Amino acid sequence: MARFRWIYISKIICGLSICAASLCGGCSRECNVSRALKEQWADKLIEEINLQRRMEHVPALGRNENLDEAARDMAIILLREGSSKVSLNRAMLNNNSQSFMKLLELSYTLEASHEQMPHKAIDEFVEENCNLLMDAEFEQAGVGLECKDGVVGIEFLMVVFADTAADGSVRPTLKGELWPDDSLEYYENRLFALLNNERERSSLNTLRKDYQLRGVARSYAKKMLKEGFFSHVEPGGTDFPKRVTGTNMDKFVFWGENLASIYSIGKPVEKAHEGLMNSPGHRANILNRRYTHVGIGLATDGEWWLFVQEFGQIRQEEN
């Protein structure tokens, strides 16, 4: 029986805190197949998949040790509990896997004797999942096999790893053309509405739109996506106060900025808002009673989404 699921990275990159729990390791007592033999089976499975990929003129998958370890952990749970309920994110964190943009998990169980393995598993697994396994976008793979009471469980992971900076932070990667400004307003207005809904629930004044702030936000979102960085400080050292004070913003006396970076093909606005509200610093900006105006800008190629919220407190006119 086969099962698969897609996982896309959809998190606020900065300030993310994840608590990883320990996973059980090793082979169940009912399994009398050595780890070395299971490794040979896994090698043959990868070899067959890469043979098929080369025949389809698709680059071969690289083998990744951290993915292998995560897949082994999940295969153990697959046979013990009937499904790999463990979080993929958690399994990969436990095995020091770097951040990924897209991940495909294939789970497979079948009955097979030692003599039938690995041929039966390879034939059935590759045939049933051939279209998915031939996806040229995936670069790295890991496989875990486990056996118990004559049943073999296979967990197969394929990923597209995110580009990371020297400090380990994920860099947004522009893959296509930037969307034009007139296609962004729907998403900006949606995030604006979600923001004011939160303020209303907290009995705060709703913020008004400011198009100067929006211009700053859009410009910075585009700069980050084009140049492949995600930070309040530009690579050249220019920080947020310098960006806003250099754009004729004398009408404001107090500013704030939120950034969100999302790799997603579904509900990017909702995912960005949820991530911001789950982060204490970003939430504090959204619910700060001093602010009167906001400008929301984004940049996207349809996969990477960079959101910028620029907050401002209007200067009161002197009598």
Side-chain angles (χ1 to χ4, degrees):
M1 179 179 63
R3 177 182 61 83
F4 73 91
R5 48 179 171 162
W6 292 95
I7 304 294
Y8 290 89
I9 192 167
S10 55
K11 60 188 179 186
I12 304 302
I13 300 300
C14 72
L16 180 70
S17 176
I18 298 177
C19 179
S22 297
L23 289 177
C24 54
C27 185
S28 69
R29 285 179 295 179
E30 294 89 342
C31 177
N32 57 5
V33 179
S34 68
R35 176 161 178 164
L37 184 55
K38 286 182 285 187
E39 284 297 313
Q40 292 179 21
W41 293 348
D43 291 342
K44 289 182 181 296
L45 180 58
I46 290 283
E47 288 172 7
E48 179 62 26
I49 291 170
N50 278 334
L51 175 61
Q52 296 291 334
R53 285 172 69 94
R54 284 191 289 269
M55 291 173 63
E56 296 294 328
H57 305 289
V58 176
L61 292 168
R63 191 81 176 270
N64 184 281
E65 291 183 4
N66 292 326
L67 290 178
D68 280 342
E69 290 296 334
R72 290 189 197 106
D73 288 339
M74 295 170 70
I76 292 169
I77 293 175
L78 175 65
L79 289 189
R80 285 182 179 173
E81 302 181 10
S83 66
S84 53
K85 296 177 182 179
V86 64
S87 160
L88 281 174
N89 279 321
R90 182 173 296 171
M92 295 182 74
L93 279 168
N94 284 350
N95 291 288
N96 301 313
S97 187
Q98 70 190 83
S99 297
F100 56 90
M101 294 194 301
K102 188 163 80 169
L103 183 149
L104 173 65
E105 176 207 5
L106 294 167
S107 296
Y108 198 81
T109 57
L110 73 160
E111 294 183 1
S113 66
H114 296 175
E115 293 75 18
Q116 292 173 312
M117 280 293 295
H119 305 293
K120 184 176 181 180
I122 290 174
D123 292 343
E124 292 190 15
F125 181 81
V126 175
E127 181 178 357
E128 186 158 341
N129 300 291
C130 187
N131 289 338
L132 294 170
L133 294 170
M134 296 303 111
D135 191 329
E137 187 175 6
F138 291 102
E139 308 155 343
Q140 298 281 312
V143 60
L145 290 94
E146 194 56 52
C147 59
K148 179 180 178 182
D149 299 333
V151 177
V152 176
I154 300 173
E155 283 284 344
F156 192 84
L157 305 176
M158 294 196 301
V159 303
V160 179
F161 281 123
D163 187 20
T164 55
D167 62 0
S169 61
V170 176
R171 290 191 292 217
T173 305
L174 182 64
K175 290 190 172 183
E177 296 293 327
L178 282 175
W179 288 13
D181 288 349
D182 59 6
S183 66
L184 305 177
E185 282 200 48
Y186 168 81
Y187 302 95
E188 293 167 344
N189 289 339
R190 176 63 180 152
L191 189 56
F192 175 75
L194 292 173
L195 181 154
N196 269 334
N197 287 343
E198 298 289 353
R199 293 180 67 90
E200 286 180 345
R201 278 196 285 268
S202 297
S203 301
L204 298 172
N205 62 296
T206 56
L207 301 183
R208 286 176 283 176
K209 293 180 181 179
D210 183 89
Y211 291 100
Q212 277 186 292
L213 289 175
R214 187 185 72 173
V216 173
R218 279 186 177 178
S219 176
Y220 194 53
K222 290 177 182 177
K223 183 180 182 68
M224 287 191 291
L225 189 50
K226 285 180 178 178
E227 298 182 13
F229 72 96
F230 180 67
S231 173
H232 293 285
V233 182
E234 300 176 26
T238 301
D239 58 12
F240 167 62
K242 291 180 182 177
R243 287 199 305 277
V244 294
T245 55
T247 51
N248 193 26
M249 292 288 180
D250 291 342
K251 63 183 178 181
F252 295 108
V253 294
F254 188 71
W255 298 276
E257 178 177 78
N258 279 349
L259 308 178
S261 178
I262 301 290
Y263 184 86
S264 175
I265 60 172
K267 298 185 177 181
V269 175
E270 288 74 12
K271 291 175 181 177
H273 180 70
E274 180 183 2
L276 290 168
M277 288 301 294
N278 287 335
S279 168
H282 298 97
R283 180 187 177 91
N285 266 342
I286 290 172
L287 300 180
N288 191 319
R289 63 180 62 252
R290 292 187 61 176
Y291 295 131
T292 58
H293 292 71
V294 67
I296 296 176
L298 74 93
T300 184
D301 60 358
E303 294 189 5
W304 272 108
W305 298 73
L306 285 179
F307 294 88
V308 180
Q309 296 172 330
E310 305 288 12
F311 300 91
Q313 179 189 9
I314 201 76
R315 185 186 300 274
Q316 298 296 318
E317 294 286 343
E318 295 184 4
N319 294 328

